[in-house]
Amino acid sequence: MLVNRAALGGNNNLQSLTVSSGTLSPVFNTNTTSYTVDVASGVGSVTVAAQAQDAGASVSINGSITTSLLVTLGAAGTSTPVTVIVTAPNSTTKTYTVLVNRAALGGNNNLSALSISAGALVPAFAASTTSYDVAAPNATASTTVTATVADSAATLTINGLPATSGVASASIPLAIGANAIPVVVTAQNGTPKTYTITITRAP
């Protein structure tokens, strides 16, 4: 009797490929081996999951024999390659690559609103205007400043103290004459912008 033993399978295709954040581009297709994924700057890691079509095939992700791997991404503004290798039962391999692009840190250091309790800004507020004057009567001994950042990821200080966007600052005393109050917005990427309000209290 002649017994024919079947050859080992050669299916080294993926059945599925997913990333926990962002969207594969192009859409996954078993015959497409190269993909990109764009994620936000605040995403520091993604989970890549891959399943082979053939249950007898093995899958490695970035060198680890696994079907799911947490991949730590590079710094914001960089790209991190992920290599998925499917090895068929007959040892033939197929390589899929995913390039995860982490967005750069935001550079928006603008205010979207600025007001004070001591009077009206001159000129009227505009995000691109960084110097303002306010004429205050002698009876105005203090003021609060309310500043709203355009980018929620930016940080804010008013008169040298940390402040909350959209919330009035602590009371700032005003001396007779000119009082310069700096409002500093620091973008997510560390770039600062200073708005200066000069309040002149009458004698």
Side-chain angles (χ1 to χ4, degrees), residues 159-187:
N159 208 35
L161 298 175
T164 302
S165 176
V167 177
S169 69
S171 182
I172 301 169
L174 299 175
I176 301 297
N179 299 263
I181 300 174
V183 177
V184 180
V185 184
T186 302

Side-chain angles (χ1 to χ4, degrees), residues 4 27-28 32 81 84 94 96 140-141 143 157 160 162 168 171 180 185 190 193:
N4 296 317
V27 174
F28 174 74
T32 302
V84 179
K94 187 172 186 178
Y96 295 80
T140 304
T143 188
T157 64
S171 182
V185 184
K193 184 175 186 178

Side-chain angles (χ1 to χ4, degrees), residues 40-128:
S41 60
V43 177
S45 63
V46 295
T47 298
V48 178
Q51 291 288 340
Q53 284 184 351
D54 187 335
S58 65
V59 176
S60 73
I61 304 174
N62 278 4
S64 298
I65 303 298
T66 181
T67 57
S68 180
L69 183 69
L70 181 67
V71 178
T72 300
L73 303 180
T78 65
S79 298
T80 301
V82 180
T83 302
V84 179
I85 299 176
V86 184
T87 303
N90 70 357
S91 298
T92 60
T93 62
K94 187 172 186 178
T95 301
Y96 295 80
T97 59
V98 180
L99 189 65
V100 183
N101 302 313
R102 186 177 179 186
L105 295 174
N108 188 341
N109 55 12
N110 290 318
L111 287 177
S112 61
L114 179 63
S115 62
I116 67 167
S117 62
L121 299 176
V122 178
F125 172 75
S128 58

